Amino acid sequence: MARAATTSDAFNAVAEPRRREILNFIALQERPVGEIVDLLGMEQPSVSKHLRVLLQVGLVNVRRDGRRMFYRTDAEAIRPIHEWTETFARYWRHQLSRVKERAELRIEASKDIGPDSIPRRKDDFDGNKN
Amino acid sequence: MARAATTSDAFNAVAEPRRREILNFIALQERPVGEIVDLLGMEQPSVSKHLRVLLQVGLVNVRRDGRRMFYRTDAEAIRPIHEWTETFARYWRHQLSRVKERAELRIEASKDIGPDSIPRRKDDFDGNKN
DNA sequence: ACAATACATTCCTATATGGGAATATGTCAA
DNA sequence: TTGACATATTCCCATATAGGAATGTATTGT
């Protein structure tokens, strides 16, 4: 099997950086394609294709006005991603407090032993975590 | 150009559902590969390959113990994704309250004009948003 | 009807993929 | 050393890109 289609879900769709840029750009206000092209500096066909992908997974809505198509981000479709990452938030919030504690310990220690005894960042991750 | 490598960043790495499953599974506790294979019901080479991708983008850490390799999710690497989605959270929170308001209005209205005048969901998005 | 404008689609191609199968590597135990 | 165990890697292939270039389609103004 090959990689899943970009249109298979929001996760795959937003993996592409340009598509995230577009979503950011049209989050507050709907915009016609031409504006996206101009302000984000992408090729028009490229933008149309990206918008098509986003539309298929429900990440954007469209509205036609004359010859222009106004696209806008539908934030609701990003929610599943947010929720998936949210389950991990408690871990890094945890880790953050641990890092803070350690930092304080280091400050205490360095008063006596000097800065050379301060472990580099890498050791926090490579070594014995348990 | 083809699609960006799965190893290019966390966004691309987590686009694959199996990899998200793995990340969920080893979030609380480090696990040897064999356990992931058994409990998630994937082929061993497949798990190894997924773990390699996750390792390359820093989404997991490894520790060797004898012949076993213990992997564990590094939640910190998921943070950029969470933060990107967080910028949209305010929109759907917004929209939620708007939906609530509208729901209340509909309830009021339906007392007088009956249920047929309730606009279908689609109209909320297609129509005049500004 | 016709030209101009605004988008969408098609065709092309190099490239990366994920799964299956087979094999290689590394580590321990006797 | 040898065998067993745990994991990693390689090979093969069908598939889906994303971008560039060219072309198609829809809509408006005259």
mmCIF file of all heavy atoms in Angstrom, chain D residues 2-18:
data_model
loop_
_atom_site.group_PDB
_atom_site.id
_atom_site.type_symbol
_atom_site.label_atom_id
_atom_site.label_comp_id
_atom_site.label_asym_id
_atom_site.label_seq_id
_atom_site.Cartn_x
_atom_site.Cartn_y
_atom_site.Cartn_z
ATOM 1 P P DT D 2 29.946 -22.472 15.631
ATOM 2 O OP1 DT D 2 30.452 -23.577 14.817
ATOM 3 O OP2 DT D 2 29.806 -21.117 15.067
ATOM 4 O "O5'" DT D 2 28.540 -22.889 16.242
ATOM 5 C "C5'" DT D 2 28.496 -23.711 17.419
ATOM 6 C "C4'" DT D 2 27.088 -23.673 17.956
ATOM 7 O "O4'" DT D 2 26.997 -22.693 19.020
ATOM 8 C "C3'" DT D 2 26.035 -23.258 16.917
ATOM 9 O "O3'" DT D 2 24.890 -24.097 17.027
ATOM 10 C "C2'" DT D 2 25.723 -21.817 17.253
ATOM 11 C "C1'" DT D 2 25.912 -21.815 18.766
ATOM 12 N N1 DT D 2 26.264 -20.487 19.354
ATOM 13 C C2 DT D 2 25.809 -20.178 20.614
ATOM 14 O O2 DT D 2 25.144 -20.937 21.283
ATOM 15 N N3 DT D 2 26.168 -18.940 21.073
ATOM 16 C C4 DT D 2 26.926 -17.983 20.400
ATOM 17 O O4 DT D 2 27.193 -16.906 20.911
ATOM 18 C C5 DT D 2 27.362 -18.370 19.076
ATOM 19 C C7 DT D 2 28.186 -17.417 18.265
ATOM 20 C C6 DT D 2 27.020 -19.583 18.623
ATOM 21 P P DG D 3 23.788 -24.093 15.910
ATOM 22 O OP1 DG D 3 23.636 -25.474 15.417
ATOM 23 O OP2 DG D 3 24.062 -22.990 14.973
ATOM 24 O "O5'" DG D 3 22.479 -23.719 16.753
ATOM 25 C "C5'" DG D 3 22.272 -24.338 18.020
ATOM 26 C "C4'" DG D 3 21.283 -23.535 18.825
ATOM 27 O "O4'" DG D 3 21.901 -22.314 19.294
ATOM 28 C "C3'" DG D 3 20.037 -23.102 18.033
ATOM 29 O "O3'" DG D 3 18.893 -23.292 18.853
ATOM 30 C "C2'" DG D 3 20.290 -21.630 17.736
ATOM 31 C "C1'" DG D 3 21.093 -21.203 18.957
ATOM 32 N N9 DG D 3 21.973 -20.057 18.756
ATOM 33 C C8 DG D 3 22.772 -19.814 17.667
ATOM 34 N N7 DG D 3 23.468 -18.704 17.775
ATOM 35 C C5 DG D 3 23.102 -18.196 19.013
ATOM 36 C C6 DG D 3 23.522 -17.000 19.678
ATOM 37 O O6 DG D 3 24.332 -16.148 19.295
ATOM 38 N N1 DG D 3 22.902 -16.866 20.909
ATOM 39 C C2 DG D 3 21.987 -17.748 21.440
ATOM 40 N N2 DG D 3 21.500 -17.444 22.632
ATOM 41 N N3 DG D 3 21.590 -18.857 20.835
ATOM 42 C C4 DG D 3 22.186 -19.011 19.626
ATOM 43 P P DA D 4 17.446 -23.191 18.263
ATOM 44 O OP1 DA D 4 16.714 -24.412 18.632
ATOM 45 O OP2 DA D 4 17.533 -22.758 16.852
ATOM 46 O "O5'" DA D 4 16.875 -21.980 19.120
ATOM 47 C "C5'" DA D 4 17.071 -21.968 20.531
ATOM 48 C "C4'" DA D 4 16.729 -20.598 21.065
ATOM 49 O "O4'" DA D 4 17.812 -19.683 20.774
ATOM 50 C "C3'" DA D 4 15.469 -19.983 20.447
ATOM 51 O "O3'" DA D 4 14.693 -19.403 21.500
ATOM 52 C "C2'" DA D 4 16.007 -18.923 19.505
ATOM 53 C "C1'" DA D 4 17.273 -18.489 20.224
ATOM 54 N N9 DA D 4 18.305 -17.901 19.372
ATOM 55 C C8 DA D 4 18.723 -18.340 18.144
ATOM 56 N N7 DA D 4 19.675 -17.594 17.609
ATOM 57 C C5 DA D 4 19.893 -16.613 18.572
ATOM 58 C C6 DA D 4 20.787 -15.532 18.613
ATOM 59 N N6 DA D 4 21.654 -15.234 17.641
ATOM 60 N N1 DA D 4 20.747 -14.742 19.705
ATOM 61 C C2 DA D 4 19.882 -15.033 20.684
ATOM 62 N N3 DA D 4 19.001 -16.026 20.762
ATOM 63 C C4 DA D 4 19.060 -16.791 19.661
ATOM 64 P P DC D 5 13.198 -18.995 21.264
ATOM 65 O OP1 DC D 5 12.394 -19.604 22.341
ATOM 66 O OP2 DC D 5 12.850 -19.204 19.842
ATOM 67 O "O5'" DC D 5 13.256 -17.422 21.543
ATOM 68 C "C5'" DC D 5 13.962 -16.937 22.683
ATOM 69 C "C4'" DC D 5 14.364 -15.503 22.447
ATOM 70 O "O4'" DC D 5 15.424 -15.438 21.478
ATOM 71 C "C3'" DC D 5 13.231 -14.619 21.902
ATOM 72 O "O3'" DC D 5 13.013 -13.568 22.831
ATOM 73 C "C2'" DC D 5 13.768 -14.095 20.574
ATOM 74 C "C1'" DC D 5 15.270 -14.248 20.748
ATOM 75 N N1 DC D 5 16.045 -14.399 19.483
ATOM 76 C C2 DC D 5 17.113 -13.534 19.260
ATOM 77 O O2 DC D 5 17.380 -12.674 20.108
ATOM 78 N N3 DC D 5 17.827 -13.658 18.120
ATOM 79 C C4 DC D 5 17.513 -14.605 17.237
ATOM 80 N N4 DC D 5 18.254 -14.701 16.122
ATOM 81 C C5 DC D 5 16.425 -15.505 17.447
ATOM 82 C C6 DC D 5 15.724 -15.366 18.582
ATOM 83 P P DA D 6 11.774 -12.623 22.617
ATOM 84 O OP1 DA D 6 11.258 -12.214 23.940
ATOM 85 O OP2 DA D 6 10.884 -13.209 21.600
ATOM 86 O "O5'" DA D 6 12.492 -11.363 21.954
ATOM 87 C "C5'" DA D 6 13.437 -10.615 22.705
ATOM 88 C "C4'" DA D 6 13.849 -9.396 21.910
ATOM 89 O "O4'" DA D 6 14.711 -9.804 20.837
ATOM 90 C "C3'" DA D 6 12.673 -8.648 21.253
ATOM 91 O "O3'" DA D 6 12.806 -7.269 21.549
ATOM 92 C "C2'" DA D 6 12.816 -8.956 19.773
ATOM 93 C "C1'" DA D 6 14.306 -9.190 19.635
ATOM 94 N N9 DA D 6 14.687 -10.082 18.539
ATOM 95 C C8 DA D 6 14.083 -11.248 18.156
ATOM 96 N N7 DA D 6 14.655 -11.839 17.130
ATOM 97 C C5 DA D 6 15.715 -11.001 16.826
ATOM 98 C C6 DA D 6 16.703 -11.066 15.836
ATOM 99 N N6 DA D 6 16.807 -12.050 14.941
ATOM 100 N N1 DA D 6 17.624 -10.066 15.801
ATOM 101 C C2 DA D 6 17.526 -9.078 16.695
ATOM 102 N N3 DA D 6 16.632 -8.909 17.672
ATOM 103 C C4 DA D 6 15.747 -9.919 17.686
ATOM 104 P P DT D 7 11.711 -6.254 21.069
ATOM 105 O OP1 DT D 7 11.664 -5.156 22.041
ATOM 106 O OP2 DT D 7 10.485 -6.980 20.672
ATOM 107 O "O5'" DT D 7 12.425 -5.698 19.747
ATOM 108 C "C5'" DT D 7 13.744 -5.170 19.871
ATOM 109 C "C4'" DT D 7 14.358 -4.930 18.519
ATOM 110 O "O4'" DT D 7 14.501 -6.157 17.789
ATOM 111 C "C3'" DT D 7 13.595 -3.987 17.593
ATOM 112 O "O3'" DT D 7 14.352 -2.797 17.490
ATOM 113 C "C2'" DT D 7 13.496 -4.737 16.279
ATOM 114 C "C1'" DT D 7 14.555 -5.820 16.429
ATOM 115 N N1 DT D 7 14.311 -7.054 15.658
ATOM 116 C C2 DT D 7 15.207 -7.401 14.678
ATOM 117 O O2 DT D 7 16.188 -6.734 14.405
ATOM 118 N N3 DT D 7 14.920 -8.583 14.022
ATOM 119 C C4 DT D 7 13.850 -9.414 14.255
ATOM 120 O O4 DT D 7 13.702 -10.448 13.592
ATOM 121 C C5 DT D 7 12.944 -9.002 15.294
ATOM 122 C C7 DT D 7 11.741 -9.845 15.637
ATOM 123 C C6 DT D 7 13.220 -7.855 15.940
ATOM 124 P P DA D 8 13.954 -1.664 16.491
ATOM 125 O OP1 DA D 8 14.443 -0.421 17.091
ATOM 126 O OP2 DA D 8 12.544 -1.789 16.113
ATOM 127 O "O5'" DA D 8 14.854 -1.990 15.212
ATOM 128 C "C5'" DA D 8 16.255 -2.165 15.362
ATOM 129 C "C4'" DA D 8 16.905 -2.371 14.004
ATOM 130 O "O4'" DA D 8 16.565 -3.678 13.491
ATOM 131 C "C3'" DA D 8 16.479 -1.367 12.933
ATOM 132 O "O3'" DA D 8 17.642 -0.884 12.288
ATOM 133 C "C2'" DA D 8 15.583 -2.167 11.991
ATOM 134 C "C1'" DA D 8 16.117 -3.579 12.156
ATOM 135 N N9 DA D 8 15.114 -4.638 11.975
ATOM 136 C C8 DA D 8 13.958 -4.814 12.675
ATOM 137 N N7 DA D 8 13.271 -5.876 12.317
ATOM 138 C C5 DA D 8 14.032 -6.444 11.306
ATOM 139 C C6 DA D 8 13.846 -7.583 10.510
ATOM 140 N N6 DA D 8 12.800 -8.404 10.617
ATOM 141 N N1 DA D 8 14.795 -7.862 9.589
ATOM 142 C C2 DA D 8 15.852 -7.047 9.486
ATOM 143 N N3 DA D 8 16.138 -5.940 10.182
ATOM 144 C C4 DA D 8 15.169 -5.693 11.085
ATOM 145 P P DT D 9 17.505 0.207 11.168
ATOM 146 O OP1 DT D 9 18.711 1.055 11.227
ATOM 147 O OP2 DT D 9 16.167 0.801 11.237
ATOM 148 O "O5'" DT D 9 17.596 -0.682 9.838
ATOM 149 C "C5'" DT D 9 18.641 -1.620 9.715
ATOM 150 C "C4'" DT D 9 18.507 -2.373 8.414
ATOM 151 O "O4'" DT D 9 17.447 -3.337 8.517
ATOM 152 C "C3'" DT D 9 18.181 -1.500 7.199
ATOM 153 O "O3'" DT D 9 19.210 -1.680 6.252
ATOM 154 C "C2'" DT D 9 16.833 -2.014 6.717
ATOM 155 C "C1'" DT D 9 16.796 -3.420 7.281
ATOM 156 N N1 DT D 9 15.434 -3.961 7.573
ATOM 157 C C2 DT D 9 15.040 -5.122 6.956
ATOM 158 O O2 DT D 9 15.728 -5.722 6.169
ATOM 159 N N3 DT D 9 13.776 -5.541 7.293
ATOM 160 C C4 DT D 9 12.902 -4.935 8.183
ATOM 161 O O4 DT D 9 11.807 -5.422 8.419
ATOM 162 C C5 DT D 9 13.387 -3.727 8.793
ATOM 163 C C7 DT D 9 12.528 -2.990 9.769
ATOM 164 C C6 DT D 9 14.612 -3.299 8.464
ATOM 165 P P DT D 10 19.214 -0.872 4.918
ATOM 166 O OP1 DT D 10 20.609 -0.545 4.585
ATOM 167 O OP2 DT D 10 18.200 0.195 5.012
ATOM 168 O "O5'" DT D 10 18.689 -1.976 3.876
ATOM 169 C "C5'" DT D 10 19.243 -3.280 3.908
ATOM 170 C "C4'" DT D 10 18.562 -4.153 2.876
ATOM 171 O "O4'" DT D 10 17.300 -4.628 3.401
ATOM 172 C "C3'" DT D 10 18.251 -3.448 1.547
ATOM 173 O "O3'" DT D 10 18.670 -4.277 0.476
ATOM 174 C "C2'" DT D 10 16.742 -3.276 1.559
ATOM 175 C "C1'" DT D 10 16.298 -4.454 2.420
ATOM 176 N N1 DT D 10 15.023 -4.275 3.153
ATOM 177 C C2 DT D 10 14.100 -5.286 3.116
ATOM 178 O O2 DT D 10 14.259 -6.318 2.498
ATOM 179 N N3 DT D 10 12.956 -5.038 3.837
ATOM 180 C C4 DT D 10 12.658 -3.909 4.581
ATOM 181 O O4 DT D 10 11.605 -3.815 5.187
ATOM 182 C C5 DT D 10 13.676 -2.892 4.574
ATOM 183 C C7 DT D 10 13.460 -1.634 5.339
ATOM 184 C C6 DT D 10 14.793 -3.114 3.873
ATOM 185 P P DC D 11 18.708 -3.682 -1.011
ATOM 186 O OP1 DC D 11 19.941 -4.180 -1.616
ATOM 187 O OP2 DC D 11 18.409 -2.235 -0.980
ATOM 188 O "O5'" DC D 11 17.468 -4.431 -1.691
ATOM 189 C "C5'" DC D 11 17.282 -5.824 -1.446
ATOM 190 C "C4'" DC D 11 15.990 -6.304 -2.079
ATOM 191 O "O4'" DC D 11 14.916 -6.166 -1.130
ATOM 192 C "C3'" DC D 11 15.574 -5.545 -3.340
ATOM 193 O "O3'" DC D 11 15.123 -6.473 -4.316
ATOM 194 C "C2'" DC D 11 14.449 -4.651 -2.856
ATOM 195 C "C1'" DC D 11 13.831 -5.503 -1.748
ATOM 196 N N1 DC D 11 13.122 -4.722 -0.719
ATOM 197 C C2 DC D 11 11.928 -5.218 -0.171
ATOM 198 O O2 DC D 11 11.503 -6.312 -0.558
ATOM 199 N N3 DC D 11 11.281 -4.490 0.762
ATOM 200 C C4 DC D 11 11.773 -3.313 1.155
ATOM 201 N N4 DC D 11 11.098 -2.626 2.076
ATOM 202 C C5 DC D 11 12.988 -2.789 0.611
ATOM 203 C C6 DC D 11 13.621 -3.514 -0.314
ATOM 204 P P DC D 12 14.771 -5.951 -5.796
ATOM 205 O OP1 DC D 12 15.175 -7.017 -6.718
ATOM 206 O OP2 DC D 12 15.235 -4.559 -5.985
ATOM 207 O "O5'" DC D 12 13.181 -5.931 -5.749
ATOM 208 C "C5'" DC D 12 12.472 -7.123 -5.364
ATOM 209 C "C4'" DC D 12 10.981 -6.856 -5.358
ATOM 210 O "O4'" DC D 12 10.633 -6.169 -4.131
ATOM 211 C "C3'" DC D 12 10.503 -5.974 -6.514
ATOM 212 O "O3'" DC D 12 9.396 -6.570 -7.168
ATOM 213 C "C2'" DC D 12 10.101 -4.670 -5.845
ATOM 214 C "C1'" DC D 12 9.742 -5.120 -4.436
ATOM 215 N N1 DC D 12 9.932 -4.057 -3.418
ATOM 216 C C2 DC D 12 8.921 -3.806 -2.472
ATOM 217 O O2 DC D 12 7.906 -4.494 -2.500
ATOM 218 N N3 DC D 12 9.092 -2.816 -1.573
ATOM 219 C C4 DC D 12 10.222 -2.092 -1.589
ATOM 220 N N4 DC D 12 10.360 -1.121 -0.688
ATOM 221 C C5 DC D 12 11.257 -2.333 -2.543
ATOM 222 C C6 DC D 12 11.082 -3.310 -3.431
ATOM 223 P P DC D 13 8.869 -5.892 -8.526
ATOM 224 O OP1 DC D 13 8.395 -6.994 -9.383
ATOM 225 O OP2 DC D 13 9.870 -4.919 -9.017
ATOM 226 O "O5'" DC D 13 7.599 -5.083 -8.014
ATOM 227 C "C5'" DC D 13 6.585 -5.756 -7.272
ATOM 228 C "C4'" DC D 13 5.495 -4.771 -6.897
ATOM 229 O "O4'" DC D 13 5.921 -3.957 -5.784
ATOM 230 C "C3'" DC D 13 5.135 -3.792 -8.021
ATOM 231 O "O3'" DC D 13 3.730 -3.591 -8.013
ATOM 232 C "C2'" DC D 13 5.835 -2.519 -7.608
ATOM 233 C "C1'" DC D 13 5.696 -2.600 -6.097
ATOM 234 N N1 DC D 13 6.662 -1.769 -5.333
ATOM 235 C C2 DC D 13 6.271 -1.214 -4.110
ATOM 236 O O2 DC D 13 5.150 -1.434 -3.684
ATOM 237 N N3 DC D 13 7.155 -0.441 -3.433
ATOM 238 C C4 DC D 13 8.376 -0.227 -3.942
ATOM 239 N N4 DC D 13 9.203 0.536 -3.235
ATOM 240 C C5 DC D 13 8.790 -0.792 -5.187
ATOM 241 C C6 DC D 13 7.912 -1.546 -5.846
ATOM 242 P P DA D 14 2.953 -3.395 -9.379
ATOM 243 O OP1 DA D 14 2.826 -4.734 -9.989
ATOM 244 O OP2 DA D 14 3.594 -2.299 -10.123
ATOM 245 O "O5'" DA D 14 1.510 -2.906 -8.915
ATOM 246 C "C5'" DA D 14 0.910 -3.457 -7.744
ATOM 247 C "C4'" DA D 14 0.272 -2.359 -6.920
ATOM 248 O "O4'" DA D 14 1.295 -1.605 -6.228
ATOM 249 C "C3'" DA D 14 -0.514 -1.344 -7.740
ATOM 250 O "O3'" DA D 14 -1.720 -1.038 -7.037
ATOM 251 C "C2'" DA D 14 0.413 -0.141 -7.857
ATOM 252 C "C1'" DA D 14 1.199 -0.223 -6.561
ATOM 253 N N9 DA D 14 2.579 0.280 -6.640
ATOM 254 C C8 DA D 14 3.471 0.111 -7.678
ATOM 255 N N7 DA D 14 4.644 0.672 -7.458
ATOM 256 C C5 DA D 14 4.512 1.231 -6.191
ATOM 257 C C6 DA D 14 5.405 1.963 -5.390
ATOM 258 N N6 DA D 14 6.661 2.259 -5.742
ATOM 259 N N1 DA D 14 4.958 2.382 -4.188
ATOM 260 C C2 DA D 14 3.703 2.076 -3.821
ATOM 261 N N3 DA D 14 2.766 1.400 -4.489
ATOM 262 C C4 DA D 14 3.245 1.000 -5.686
ATOM 263 P P DT D 15 -2.722 0.017 -7.622
ATOM 264 O OP1 DT D 15 -4.078 -0.330 -7.160
ATOM 265 O OP2 DT D 15 -2.414 0.184 -9.063
ATOM 266 O "O5'" DT D 15 -2.278 1.351 -6.859
ATOM 267 C "C5'" DT D 15 -2.125 1.313 -5.453
ATOM 268 C "C4'" DT D 15 -1.766 2.690 -4.953
ATOM 269 O "O4'" DT D 15 -0.344 2.906 -5.087
ATOM 270 C "C3'" DT D 15 -2.443 3.845 -5.696
ATOM 271 O "O3'" DT D 15 -3.060 4.682 -4.751
ATOM 272 C "C2'" DT D 15 -1.305 4.529 -6.425
ATOM 273 C "C1'" DT D 15 -0.139 4.238 -5.486
ATOM 274 N N1 DT D 15 1.211 4.325 -6.099
ATOM 275 C C2 DT D 15 2.191 4.977 -5.384
ATOM 276 O O2 DT D 15 1.998 5.470 -4.288
ATOM 277 N N3 DT D 15 3.420 5.032 -6.000
ATOM 278 C C4 DT D 15 3.743 4.505 -7.239
ATOM 279 O O4 DT D 15 4.872 4.617 -7.685
ATOM 280 C C5 DT D 15 2.665 3.839 -7.936
ATOM 281 C C7 DT D 15 2.910 3.244 -9.278
ATOM 282 C C6 DT D 15 1.476 3.787 -7.330
ATOM 283 P P DA D 16 -4.189 5.697 -5.176
ATOM 284 O OP1 DA D 16 -5.399 5.407 -4.393
ATOM 285 O OP2 DA D 16 -4.242 5.745 -6.649
ATOM 286 O "O5'" DA D 16 -3.597 7.080 -4.649
ATOM 287 C "C5'" DA D 16 -3.171 7.186 -3.298
ATOM 288 C "C4'" DA D 16 -2.209 8.346 -3.179
ATOM 289 O "O4'" DA D 16 -0.981 8.011 -3.844
ATOM 290 C "C3'" DA D 16 -2.722 9.641 -3.819
ATOM 291 O "O3'" DA D 16 -2.518 10.714 -2.921
ATOM 292 C "C2'" DA D 16 -1.868 9.775 -5.073
ATOM 293 C "C1'" DA D 16 -0.574 9.109 -4.623
ATOM 294 N N9 DA D 16 0.257 8.616 -5.728
ATOM 295 C C8 DA D 16 -0.151 7.906 -6.821
ATOM 296 N N7 DA D 16 0.814 7.607 -7.658
ATOM 297 C C5 DA D 16 1.937 8.162 -7.069
ATOM 298 C C6 DA D 16 3.289 8.198 -7.464
ATOM 299 N N6 DA D 16 3.753 7.649 -8.575
ATOM 300 N N1 DA D 16 4.165 8.840 -6.648
ATOM 301 C C2 DA D 16 3.697 9.398 -5.524
ATOM 302 N N3 DA D 16 2.452 9.432 -5.046
ATOM 303 C C4 DA D 16 1.607 8.791 -5.878
ATOM 304 P P DT D 17 -3.379 12.015 -3.086
ATOM 305 O OP1 DT D 17 -3.192 12.832 -1.882
ATOM 306 O OP2 DT D 17 -4.693 11.596 -3.514
ATOM 307 O "O5'" DT D 17 -2.681 12.762 -4.320
ATOM 308 C "C5'" DT D 17 -1.976 13.972 -4.106
ATOM 309 C "C4'" DT D 17 -0.577 13.668 -3.609
ATOM 310 O "O4'" DT D 17 -0.050 12.600 -4.380
ATOM 311 C "C3'" DT D 17 0.342 14.852 -3.751
ATOM 312 O "O3'" DT D 17 0.661 15.349 -2.478
ATOM 313 C "C2'" DT D 17 1.568 14.334 -4.466
ATOM 314 C "C1'" DT D 17 1.299 12.856 -4.707
ATOM 315 N N1 DT D 17 1.522 12.385 -6.090
ATOM 316 C C2 DT D 17 2.766 12.449 -6.634
ATOM 317 O O2 DT D 17 3.716 12.921 -6.048
ATOM 318 N N3 DT D 17 2.882 11.945 -7.895
ATOM 319 C C4 DT D 17 1.893 11.376 -8.659
ATOM 320 O O4 DT D 17 2.120 10.936 -9.771
ATOM 321 C C5 DT D 17 0.589 11.333 -8.037
ATOM 322 C C7 DT D 17 -0.556 10.729 -8.752
ATOM 323 C C6 DT D 17 0.462 11.833 -6.805
ATOM 324 P P DA D 18 0.149 16.786 -2.134
ATOM 325 O OP1 DA D 18 0.316 16.885 -0.677
ATOM 326 O OP2 DA D 18 -1.164 17.011 -2.750
ATOM 327 O "O5'" DA D 18 1.179 17.777 -2.841
ATOM 328 C "C5'" DA D 18 2.529 17.818 -2.411
ATOM 329 C "C4'" DA D 18 3.341 18.568 -3.442
ATOM 330 O "O4'" DA D 18 3.434 17.776 -4.630
ATOM 331 C "C3'" DA D 18 2.729 19.905 -3.856
ATOM 332 O "O3'" DA D 18 3.764 20.860 -3.934
ATOM 333 C "C2'" DA D 18 2.098 19.613 -5.217
ATOM 334 C "C1'" DA D 18 2.972 18.504 -5.753
ATOM 335 N N9 DA D 18 2.278 17.538 -6.626
ATOM 336 C C8 DA D 18 0.960 17.194 -6.589
ATOM 337 N N7 DA D 18 0.621 16.286 -7.479
ATOM 338 C C5 DA D 18 1.802 16.015 -8.147
ATOM 339 C C6 DA D 18 2.117 15.138 -9.190
ATOM 340 N N6 DA D 18 1.230 14.348 -9.782
ATOM 341 N N1 DA D 18 3.386 15.115 -9.629
ATOM 342 C C2 DA D 18 4.290 15.908 -9.024
ATOM 343 N N3 DA D 18 4.110 16.774 -8.024
ATOM 344 C C4 DA D 18 2.836 16.779 -7.625
#
